[in-house]
């Protein structure tokens, strides 16, 4: 189980390094720990920088632990195709308490490596498409706040700064 890094920590806004070593015990343990942390926080996606590790790795489970077949581990992922648009509410475990409408591609295809270093592709629609885009953004140091209007973004940042000052962040 990891502690989730919150907005304000610079690690969340830095691009992550690609993973270069596969099929290791460390990688296996990192992935297991990330799933555990994500389920405990009731999230559907978690990226390595959110647990303080600046590497291109993310876990997703849009069933939130209900269906093991939906568990996804994406290492060094790249979006290879996008189709359509959807607008819907989005949040982030690193920005608790704030949810806003974000427009994303309705369908996304991603190429990634698994923990053994093998390439695979996954295509997601609706929520999975949103999760894929949100989590891959994290690996490039991009938070969902960057998809909001400057006005909304600044409002949320001001509220967070207040919470920080009050020691409530
Ligand atoms: Ni997030």
């Amino acid at each position: 189980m990891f502690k989730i890094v919150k907005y304000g920590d610079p690690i969340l806004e830095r691009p992550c390094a690609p993973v270069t070593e596969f099929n290791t015990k460390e990688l296996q343990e990192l992935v297991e720990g990330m799933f555990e942390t994500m389920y405990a926080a009731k999230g559907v996606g978690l990226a390595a920088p959110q647990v303080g590790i600046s590497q291109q790795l993310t876990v997703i489970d849009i069933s939130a632990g209900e269906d093991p077949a939906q568990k996804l581990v994406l290492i060094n992922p790249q979006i290879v195709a996008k189709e359509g648009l959807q607008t819907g509410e989005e949040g982030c475990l690193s920005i608790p308490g704030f949810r806003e409408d974000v427009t994303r591609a309705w369908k996304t295809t991603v190429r990634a490596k698994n923990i053994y270093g093998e390439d695979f592709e996954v295509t997601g629609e609706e929520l999975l498409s949103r999760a894929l885009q949100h989590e891959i953004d994290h690996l490039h140091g991009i938070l969902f706040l960057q998809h909001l209007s400057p006005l909304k973004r600044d409002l949320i940042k001001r509220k967070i700064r207040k919470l920080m000052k009050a020691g409530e962040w």
Side-chain angles (χ1 to χ4, degrees), residues 16-141:
C16 299
V19 172
T20 53
E21 282 190 64
F22 297 89
N23 207 6
T24 64
K25 199 170 185 327
E26 289 75 16
L27 194 56
Q28 184 73 51
E29 284 173 358
L30 172 60
V31 165
E32 280 169 18
M34 283 174 63
F35 273 115
E36 198 188 343
T37 306
M38 180 182 81
Y39 291 139
K42 306 210 183 303
V44 296
L46 187 68
Q50 294 182 276
V51 296
I53 293 163
S54 194
Q55 293 197 18
Q56 292 178 25
L57 189 160
T58 176
V59 300
I60 292 173
D61 179 358
I62 58 162
S63 82
E66 294 294 311
D67 176 11
Q70 305 224 25
K71 288 173 82 169
L72 269 177
V73 178
L74 304 168
I75 302 176
N76 304 343
Q78 282 189 316
I79 293 174
V80 293
K82 281 185 184 183
E83 206 183 302
L85 289 174
Q86 58 173 329
T87 300
E89 218 183 48
E90 196 167 313
C92 179
L93 294 177
S94 293
I95 313 172
F98 296 93
R99 296 184 67 83
E100 290 291 338
D101 276 353
V102 178
T103 300
R104 302 267 189 189
W106 172 76
K107 183 174 175 180
T108 306
T109 299
V110 171
R111 190 172 298 150
K113 288 186 184 297
N114 63 19
I115 56 168
Y116 308 109
E118 300 159 345
D119 290 303
F120 70 100
E121 271 191 18
V122 58
T123 297
E125 295 173 358
E126 299 180 337
L127 179 58
L128 181 54
S129 172
R130 178 175 296 284
L132 288 166
Q133 293 168 84
H134 178 112
E135 298 311 325
I136 291 170
D137 266 359
H138 269 298
L139 306 182
H140 296 103

